[in-house]
Amino acid sequence: MKKVPLVVRQADVTIFNRSLYLERQAIAAYVAGIPLLNMSEAKVAKQFLNQELEHAGELLGLIAAAGGKPIPRAPSYDIGHPRDAREVFTILHGLEANQIATYLNAIPRLSPGPVRAAVASILANDAQHVSILRLELGDSPAPAAFVTGRE
Amino acid sequence: MPSQRTRRELLGRGVLAGGLGLAGATVLLPAEAAAATAAASAPPSNIAVLGRLVRLEELILYAYQHVLASSLLPSSAQPVVAGLRNQEQAHIHALSAALSVLGGTSPAGPVNLAAADKDLSHRNVSQRLGQLRGGKDALRLLLAIEHVAEGAYYVAMSELSGPTLLRLGAEIMASEAQHATVLTVLLHPVDLTQAVPYGLVQGRR
């Protein structure tokens, strides 16, 4: 089925670029962290990495549809210096939670509706990542009825 | 990576219309027809969207309560599912409060099992509450209805207006997505990749 092109406002490009930065930061963290995980952990993390790449692609598509220009990749991203799996999961949890909080602030400012829905579909996936990362850290995977990124 | 048993223990920690009638003598003038067409394509009101979401949440709550009362679930899954049920109740309270502020009235939930099963059928959920054959069957039904919830909120995010309602909708959509993940972990505790299958959560519509 052919996807109907979204109408995207130029005014929203700044929001998408801010989100793109955070997605790329998370991608960098997954790439750096996966070698520190055991095989089964790494399998899940690689899946999440691919999904973060999909999010970045979605944002790049929205920026292009708005006629905007994506921010260039940073030479490096501040992702800390994890030494073991627990530290990797802690860093990833923080980055995913920060993305959730950023998307929640952005969504009410976005228009039209289908663009909000597209961004909400990314946010919901990041919330699922948080659930699994919390499990890995020994925490409850769905601690609150309202996901805010502060859990 | 926690073992299967450990993961279960973690999960168990308290998570844990009408349209244009052509019959009769009414003939629309061009301007009226244009206005009617515009009205037909206009997004539904916040009251309509919230009412739709409350009705769905009431069905979800009914399903959770039925499953919990059925004793089909293994004891390790009971507190987890009860936690998700409590979160569904919180969603209903928040949505109903928002609806009330707008002057709307919350629709009632299913009156009985048959009504709930009819609603599930209407929403293309193949399982029936009245025909559950075990714990896994019950979890699959709850998972299917959580996917319906994801889809409902995905659509609602296009239709709602106003920052407070949009934020509320997004927070609940993310919560429903987490519920789907938790239920999948209960069904497939060994392979966590199944719990987050898609990079873009759009649910079942």
Side-chain angles (χ1 to χ4, degrees):
Chain A
M1 188 194 297
K2 190 176 178 184
K3 199 173 176 181
V4 178
L6 282 177
V7 176
V8 187
R9 299 185 310 178
Q10 175 81 34
D12 291 335
V13 169
T14 303
I15 294 173
F16 300 137
N17 267 325
R18 167 71 182 147
S19 302
L20 181 60
Y21 178 89
L22 296 179
E23 291 289 350
R24 285 173 171 164
Q25 185 181 31
I27 289 165
Y30 276 102
V31 169
I34 284 170
L36 296 172
L37 306 178
N38 69 34
M39 201 158 60
S40 61
E41 292 166 342
K43 185 179 172 191
V44 177
K46 283 176 186 170
Q47 180 164 308
F48 290 4
L49 168 60
N50 284 332
Q51 292 173 343
E52 298 294 344
L53 287 164
E54 189 177 355
H55 300 170
E58 187 80 356
L59 291 168
L60 286 165
L62 290 167
I63 291 167
K69 190 177 173 188
I71 53 165
R73 282 188 185 80
S76 63
Y77 293 89
D78 181 11
I79 53 173
H81 301 282
R83 290 161 299 181
D84 57 27
R86 183 166 184 84
E87 289 184 4
V88 170
F89 290 134
T90 300
I91 287 169
L92 292 174
H93 178 272
L95 293 173
E96 296 272 12
N98 189 32
Q99 287 188 85
I100 289 170
T102 301
Y103 283 126
L104 280 172
N105 283 328
I107 283 171
R109 290 148 56 196
L110 295 170
S111 188
V115 172
R116 291 194 297 270
V119 172
S121 72
I122 298 175
L123 157 67
N125 181 242
D126 285 334
Q128 292 179 314
H129 292 176
V130 164
S131 282
I132 297 298
L133 292 168
R134 289 181 61 86
L135 263 183
E136 300 288 11
L137 289 166
D139 295 326
S140 162
F146 305 95
V147 176
T148 65
R150 293 191 296 272
E151 298 85 14
Chain B
M1 177 77 63
S3 68
Q4 181 172 336
R5 183 178 170 194
T6 308
R7 194 170 290 135
R8 280 212 184 106
E9 287 166 357
L10 287 172
L11 281 166
R13 265 200 197 172
V15 188
L16 312 162
L20 297 174
L22 295 178
T26 305
V27 177
L28 291 177
L29 297 172
E32 291 172 316
T37 303
S41 61
S45 68
N46 281 338
I47 289 179
V49 176
L50 289 172
R52 208 174 64 210
L53 294 173
V54 171
R55 187 162 175 269
L56 172 58
E57 292 277 7
E58 292 278 8
L59 174 64
I60 298 172
L61 179 62
Y62 188 97
Y64 272 100
Q65 286 174 330
H66 178 83
V67 166
L68 285 164
S70 70
S71 303
L72 288 169
L73 296 175
S75 57
S76 59
Q78 283 271 355
V80 182
V81 173
L84 302 184
R85 185 265 321 271
N86 294 343
Q87 294 188 357
E88 301 297 355
Q89 277 177 323
H91 298 167
I92 292 172
H93 288 146
L95 292 166
S96 297
L99 190 54
S100 176
V101 166
L102 294 173
T105 306
S106 291
V111 292
N112 55 34
L113 192 59
D117 275 342
K118 188 176 176 185
D119 199 356
L120 288 171
S121 172
H122 174 69
R123 297 174 190 277
N124 294 320
V125 174
S126 59
Q127 297 96 333
R128 298 287 170 266
L129 286 166
Q131 298 168 7
L132 295 175
R133 285 169 299 181
K136 288 208 166 188
D137 212 21
L139 290 172
R140 282 191 208 101
L141 184 146
L142 295 176
L143 180 58
I145 200 166
E146 291 287 4
H147 287 319
V148 171
E150 290 171 343
Y153 282 95
Y154 177 77
V155 172
M157 292 310 296
S158 283
E159 300 170 335
L160 287 169
S161 59
T164 304
L165 291 182
L166 284 167
R167 188 178 173 103
L168 177 64
E171 288 180 358
I172 299 179
M173 179 178 172
S175 169
E176 306 293 8
Q178 288 190 331
H179 291 184
T181 291
V182 170
L183 291 166
T184 308
V185 172
L186 288 173
L187 279 163
H188 307 284
V190 176
D191 183 6
L192 292 182
T193 59
Q194 294 194 48
V196 191
Y198 305 114
L200 301 173
V201 175
Q202 299 179 353
R204 185 192 289 186
R205 284 166 282 148

